[in-house]
Amino acid sequence: MKTMFTDCRIVSLHTDVTEQQGYQVQENMMIAVENGVISALGSSLPSDGFTHVSLENRLVTPGLIDCHTHLVFAGNRANEFEQRLNGVSYQDIAAQGGGILATVNATRKASLESLIELALPRAKALISDGVTTVEIKSGYGLTVNDELKMLRAAKMVGREANIHVTTTLLGAHALPPEFAGRGNDYIDLVCNEMIPAAAEENLADAVDVFCEGIGFSKIQMQRVFEAALSHGLKIKGHTEQLSNLGGSALAAQMGARSVDHIEYIDLSGVEALAANNTVATLLPGAFYFLRETQKPPIDLLRKNHVPMAIATDFNPGTSPFASLTLMMNMASTFFGLTPKETLYGVTKHAAQALGLNKGQLAIGFDADFAVWDLSEPAELSYQIGVTGLHARYLNGVKANDH
Ligand code: NIG
Ligand code: FE
């Protein structure tokens, strides 16, 4: 399969995060794709033996990557939204057995088929925003079988909706009621049964832990990560979302691809990310929906050259928003990221957070594109609700989205 895309207005992203001129539109470009991978880019390329596809002078970006979602779950938590507006905190709701555990109850009762059916419209909403790759976590099952059910559903969503899916086992998301008061026993189950079962069936690319007062301690996170690494799985953390426990630094030192949320990270945490090339994934939807006031330390991250990714964190409790361009907009309006930084956040840096060879229009990268009826990149996150998406290509093949 050899395809030559012509008449492209390419948004080029250069390799150096700090580079000021890394954000140009190159006119009249050609992109050669062989076997799903970009093999050449230029204004004039030899194209004998290639099928030609004109993109008619549209703007072309890497397909967007949503590197942190909890897209598979049953039920909803509109009632908790209402409770919070009546003055009850997210932590209090969790302490009363609601929050994550409310979604666990609903998800345990749901069949594989119904989980897929519920997740498909969410995936399609992301797709209509130009997303070609989505990470989906488990974490609402909290038994071996229910966690595996969620991961299977996630993979099926990828097949049915035509979107690349990477899966993350988040068994250490909350302590299930049957383990109340026995946190370490539950961590034993995660390490000794869940991780080996997910690895054996090839159901997870990575393992995540919610390291927080209402989640798990740093020591428990360390045990889970050791088990994950021993099974060859990548690691990433929900860290410093509601308080500073130092989880980000430990995760980074253990080789985490990303640490996510990080509103409460401090200088030593940021320095650990920089030293270990760990991505800081910002989740402005959760910040907004929980009406948080503590912002992630963007200037410190910039100063230390830490790559920043942006994701929806789509979930029923803290971020019920299936729009990645809305998150780009929020990352700008709440956290002050520039449109260039937000584009990096949903392409190159999001790919780095997942350890994927995607997110750049450059030789050797997967040919996943989003093609837009827009004239400049800043428009991507400027207007919300009216998407400028024209088409998506996955590994050089047009997705039949309509
Ligand atoms: O990323 N922080 C933990 N996990 C999710 C919330 C999950 C939920 O409330 O259902 C998050 O915000
Ligand atoms: Fe999350």
Side-chain angles (χ1 to χ4, degrees), residues 68 70 77 80 90 99-100 103 140 170 173 210 238 241 261 283 286 290 313 315-319:
H68 179 141
H70 309 249
R77 310 230 297 273
E80 293 181 7
Y90 180 64
I100 293 172
T103 304
Y140 294 121
L170 178 57
H173 194 193
F210 185 25
H238 280 74
Q241 179 187 11
H261 289 287
L283 306 172
L290 293 181
D313 192 16
N315 77 73
T318 68
S319 191

Side-chain angles (χ1 to χ4, degrees), residues 285-307:
F287 169 87
Y288 158 78
F289 197 59
L290 293 181
R291 299 194 297 158
E292 295 287 340
T293 50
Q294 171 93 17
K295 297 181 185 182
I298 303 300
D299 282 337
L300 213 51
L301 293 164
R302 282 188 186 127
K303 227 177 16 217
N304 286 275
H305 308 303
V306 174

Side-chain angles (χ1 to χ4, degrees), residues 345-361:
V346 296
T347 54
K348 181 173 184 274
H349 296 161
Q352 188 181 334
L354 298 175
L356 299 176
N357 201 35
K358 296 180 181 292
Q360 293 184 62
L361 299 179

